[in-house]
């Protein structure tokens, strides 16, 4: 098996039974805030687009690049389609002219044209834009796992498919917390350090659990080339920065005794056969590694080259003639009528401060959008009016996958993170919203118990049903689910990261079987 790394989560996999193109991304994403790091514009995309199979893990813009797919990828490719409950990925690919689809039942091995394949689809409202997935490939000469951004709570299907020669996985930040929030600098650094540490440890836990011979950090980080965002790049290996690069994760693995880490750059080729992996560099090794060994200068030069493109993108932001309040009212209020669980989970008004416009309230309890009356709001967003007008004009149904990941906004909140709020903003269409509401309505208690330290707890995390036997750890009377960093008080069962009633842990001391579960 021959795997060419295309940058970020992009892979070109040549096998004994055909070629697979995975998550190719080249064009700037999220209002021209995210760029591929290291850059990959010099690759021969026509060559890599002539493939037998196409796999797009999910619809985030750093994995689904419609311009690249439309301009360079063969329409004769068969799409390995994750079996998401919402058909939006299929619909988007059909609009680009793809007609051949093989729906991959989640967690089931599929034999296809001499290949043994597994796609595991994640389908909670908080997974990607209503879905994320991973791909495992076996052609008889090697076996690889492309986990990219996916965070499966159940690794059973993956482990049954293995063992693996190479494991590609995400380890770096893809979130706006805490940098978009109005917090004191010291608080941002403290929260950033915790977020960075949790992300690295989560990825290391996946690496340990999968146990592949070789581990390749992928799917991040992006780099930020706009002058307004350049400070987000981790140039100096700052322990508070949430966007560590590949070398940081490889060092992290080595420090914890996890071997087999491998660094790839766009154009590098990994040959896997007979349990061994060998890397071929696209240029002299020293030159290929310059984005890491001389990162500040590399990024400055990259930013200079991209500045005209960024400025051209900003000129396209405004959408004239938009009555923001009227448009949001007509768009959001029918959705609020469908959003019983989400409205209850948010439980209050949300304030949108829009530059150049009067403030707007999304009143979740009342189910209406209206002018701001000066009332206190636990959740507030400040957004450039040009971006809001563009979101409205384009009817962007997923603001997480457009506005929030761009980092081009400010946020303020009183109290904990609220997943219902961001679920609403990624479900701005009836089908998405009804799916999310159905998912929340279907959640029931988990009857299985396990022992962690001195405590008996339910096996599945109340947050997103992560397997606590793999991702749970206890510190004193606190349980931490390292899958997403959520914490629970073992004495009371109360979630320390959310006040939502659904997020409550069943727990009791292991030494007292008759004690009532909290």
């Amino acid at each position: 098996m021959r795997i060419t790394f295309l940058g970020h989560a992009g892979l070109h996999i040549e096998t004994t039974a055909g070629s697979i193109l995975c998550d190719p991304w080249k064009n700037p994403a999220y209002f021209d805030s995210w760029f591929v790091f290291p850059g990959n514009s010099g690759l021969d995309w026509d060559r890599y687009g002539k493939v037998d199979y196409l796999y797009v893990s999910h619809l985030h813009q750093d994995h689904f690049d419609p311009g690249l797919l439309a301009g360079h990828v063969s329409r004769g490719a068969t799409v390995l389609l994750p079996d998401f409950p919402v058909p939006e990925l299929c619909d988007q690919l059909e609009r680009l002219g793809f007609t051949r689809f093989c729906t991959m039942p989640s967690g089931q091995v599929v034999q296809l044209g001499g290949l043994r394949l597994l796609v595991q689809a994640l389908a909670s409202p908080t997974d990607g834009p209503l879905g994320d997935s991973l791909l495992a490939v076996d052609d008889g000469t090697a076996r690889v796992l492309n986990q990219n951004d996916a965070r499966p709570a159940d690794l059973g299907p993956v482990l049954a498919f293995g063992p693996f020669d190479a494991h590609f996985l995400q380890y770096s930040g893809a979130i706006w917390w805490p940098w978009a929030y109005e917090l004191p600098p010291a608080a941002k650094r403290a929260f950033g350090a915790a977020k960075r540490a949790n992300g690295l440890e989560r990825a290391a836990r996946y690496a340990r659990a999968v146990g592949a011979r070789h581990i390749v950090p992928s799917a991040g980080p992006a780099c930020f080339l706009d002058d307004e965002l350049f400070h987000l790049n981790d140039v100096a290996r700052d322990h508070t920065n949430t966007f560590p690069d590949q070398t940081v994760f490889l060092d992290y693995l080595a420090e914890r005794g996890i071997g087999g880490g491998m660094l790839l750059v766009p154009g590098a080729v990994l040959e896997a056969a007979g349990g061994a992996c060998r890397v071929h560099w696209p240029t002299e090794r020293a030159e290929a590694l310059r984005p890491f060994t001389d990162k500040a200068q590399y990024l400055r030069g990259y930013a200079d080259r991209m500045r005209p493109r960024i400025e051209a993108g900003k000129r396209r932001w405004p959408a004239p003639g938009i009555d923001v309040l009227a448009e949001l009212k007509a768009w959001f209020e029918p959705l609020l009528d469908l959003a019983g669980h989400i409205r209850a989970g948010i439980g209050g008004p949300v304030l949108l401060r829009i530059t150049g416009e009067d403030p707007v309230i999304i009143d979740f309890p009342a189910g209406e959008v209206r002018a701001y009356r000066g009332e206190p709001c636990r959740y507030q967003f400040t957004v450039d009016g040009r971006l809001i007008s563009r979101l409205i004009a384009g009817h962007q149904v997923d603001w997480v996958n457009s506005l929030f990941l761009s980092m081009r906004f400010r946020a303020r909140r009183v109290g904990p993170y609220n997943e219902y709020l961001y679920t609403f903003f990624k479900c701005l269409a009836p089908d998405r919203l009804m799916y999310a509401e159905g998912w929340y309505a279907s959640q029931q208690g988990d009857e299985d118990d396990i022992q962690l330290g001195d405590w008996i707890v339910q096996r599945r995390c109340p947050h997103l049903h992560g397997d606590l036997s793999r991702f749970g750890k206890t510190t004193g009377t606190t349980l931490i689910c390292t899958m997403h960093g959520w914490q629970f008080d073992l004495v009371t069962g109360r979630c320390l990261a959310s006040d939502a009633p659904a997020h409550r842990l069943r727990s009791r001391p292991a030494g007292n079987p008759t004690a009532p579960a909290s």
Side-chain angles (χ1 to χ4, degrees):
M1 188 180 294
R2 179 182 171 93
I3 306 166
T4 303
F5 185 65
L6 304 179
H8 205 65
L11 303 176
H12 180 265
I13 305 175
E14 297 172 89
T15 79
T16 58
S19 53
I20 308 170
L21 179 62
C22 304
D23 285 358
W25 173 44
K26 179 186 73 169
N27 295 298
Y30 310 118
F31 287 116
D32 298 301
S33 64
W34 285 40
F35 288 78
V36 181
F37 174 80
N40 62 0
S41 60
L43 297 180
D44 185 349
W45 289 103
D46 288 332
R47 172 194 166 198
Y48 295 122
K50 295 175 182 177
V51 289
D52 300 293
Y53 301 101
L54 170 67
Y55 167 71
V56 176
S57 62
H58 62 301
L59 274 171
H60 271 160
Q61 293 177 21
D62 55 317
H63 296 258
F64 175 74
D65 183 343
L68 190 153
L69 293 171
H72 300 282
V73 180
S74 169
R75 300 306 187 277
T78 297
V79 176
L80 304 176
L81 188 69
D83 191 14
F84 294 135
V86 177
E88 193 165 342
L89 175 58
C90 181
D91 294 344
Q92 294 277 6
L93 289 168
E94 285 183 333
R95 290 190 190 102
L96 293 175
F98 293 94
T99 59
R100 300 179 180 179
F101 294 87
C102 179
T103 300
M104 308 291 288
S106 182
Q108 298 182 27
V109 175
V110 173
Q111 301 285 345
L112 186 64
L115 292 174
R116 180 171 165 261
L117 303 169
L118 171 80
V119 170
Q120 188 171 349
L122 311 182
S124 88
T126 53
D127 287 320
L130 289 190
D132 203 338
S133 65
L134 58 80
L135 170 69
V137 181
D138 179 2
D139 72 344
T141 68
R143 193 175 297 130
V144 300
L145 173 62
N146 177 17
Q147 186 176 339
N148 57 80
D149 288 357
R151 301 177 185 176
D154 181 9
L155 281 174
V158 169
L159 298 180
F161 189 94
F164 293 95
D165 297 289
H167 180 190
F168 294 79
L169 81 164
Q170 191 253 30
Y171 61 93
S172 191
I175 192 67
W176 49 91
W177 169 261
W179 314 114
Y181 279 79
E182 297 176 358
L183 294 166
K188 284 189 179 182
R189 290 194 296 272
F191 286 127
K195 184 69 177 176
R196 177 184 177 115
N198 185 64
L200 293 170
E201 176 57 21
R202 180 184 58 244
R205 282 185 172 236
Y206 277 119
R208 288 191 194 97
V210 171
R213 293 184 177 92
H214 300 281
I215 303 163
V216 182
S218 66
C223 59
F224 303 90
L225 304 182
D226 190 341
D227 290 341
E228 299 170 5
L229 302 173
F230 193 86
H231 65 280
L232 295 171
N233 296 303
D234 185 19
V235 174
R237 295 170 72 96
D238 180 356
H239 77 282
T240 71
N241 188 290
T242 57
F243 302 99
D245 67 31
Q246 292 89 322
T247 63
V248 172
F249 182 54
L250 292 174
D251 288 347
Y252 187 90
L253 293 178
E255 289 165 3
R256 282 149 184 80
I258 302 174
M262 303 185 79
L263 176 64
L264 297 182
V265 299
V269 175
L270 178 67
E271 287 190 353
C277 291
R278 183 173 59 175
V279 175
H280 302 277
W281 297 95
T283 61
E284 291 292 329
R285 190 173 187 274
E287 176 61 23
L289 294 178
R290 191 173 69 84
F292 303 99
T293 58
D294 193 6
K295 190 171 183 178
Q297 184 175 350
Y298 174 81
L299 288 175
R300 286 296 179 191
Y302 197 175
D304 289 342
R305 296 192 300 275
M306 292 297 107
R307 187 166 290 111
R309 179 162 190 165
I310 294 170
E311 294 306 316
K314 289 181 178 180
R315 290 193 291 272
R316 292 191 294 270
W317 286 357
I322 298 289
D323 184 331
V324 170
L325 177 57
E327 292 285 353
L328 291 180
K329 188 176 184 68
W331 183 0
F332 288 2
E333 287 188 353
L335 299 175
L336 292 170
D337 284 341
L338 304 173
H341 290 86
I342 290 173
R343 285 169 58 185
I346 297 170
V350 173
L351 174 60
L352 299 181
R353 296 188 182 276
I354 305 168
T355 60
E357 302 281 344
D358 292 330
V360 172
I361 285 288
I362 308 174
D363 192 333
F364 283 91
E368 66 176 353
V369 177
R370 55 173 172 79
Y372 180 46
R373 300 169 184 163
E375 65 268 46
C377 298
R378 291 182 63 190
Y379 307 105
Q380 301 182 24
F381 298 93
T382 301
V383 187
D384 189 321
R386 298 172 299 168
L387 296 181
I388 292 291
S389 71
R390 179 53 52 195
L391 293 169
I392 292 172
H395 201 73
Q396 293 289 327
V397 299
D398 184 352
W399 286 17
V400 169
N401 192 26
S402 50
L403 172 63
F404 296 126
L405 282 171
S406 77
M407 314 290 287
R408 298 185 185 277
F409 74 104
R410 298 196 312 277
R412 179 185 299 176
R413 76 182 190 218
V414 178
Y417 172 81
N418 190 309
E419 75 173 51
Y420 294 96
L421 179 57
Y422 290 102
T423 295
F424 176 77
F425 279 120
K426 69 169 60 174
C427 293
L428 299 176
D431 58 342
R432 283 176 166 242
L433 191 66
M434 286 188 287
Y435 170 71
E437 282 288 308
W439 191 90
Y440 284 124
S442 69
Q443 301 311 295
Q444 298 178 357
D446 187 334
E447 298 301 320
D448 293 335
D449 289 337
I450 61 170
Q451 181 167 347
L452 287 177
D454 297 326
W455 293 85
I456 302 296
V457 301
Q458 64 191 64
R459 178 174 177 177
R460 297 287 175 178
C461 176
H463 174 219
L464 289 180
H465 307 287
D467 187 344
L468 293 175
S469 68
R470 292 187 179 276
F471 297 100
K473 67 178 183 180
T474 59
T475 302
T477 59
T478 299
L479 180 142
I480 303 170
C481 177
T482 60
M483 187 175 179
H484 293 97
W486 287 56
Q487 300 183 20
F488 299 85
D489 180 7
L490 287 160
V491 176
T492 65
R494 184 171 62 89
C495 180
L496 304 179
S498 171
D499 56 5
H503 297 143
R504 194 170 189 88
L505 181 77
R506 187 175 67 254
S507 60
R508 57 180 169 82
N512 188 1
T514 62
S518 57

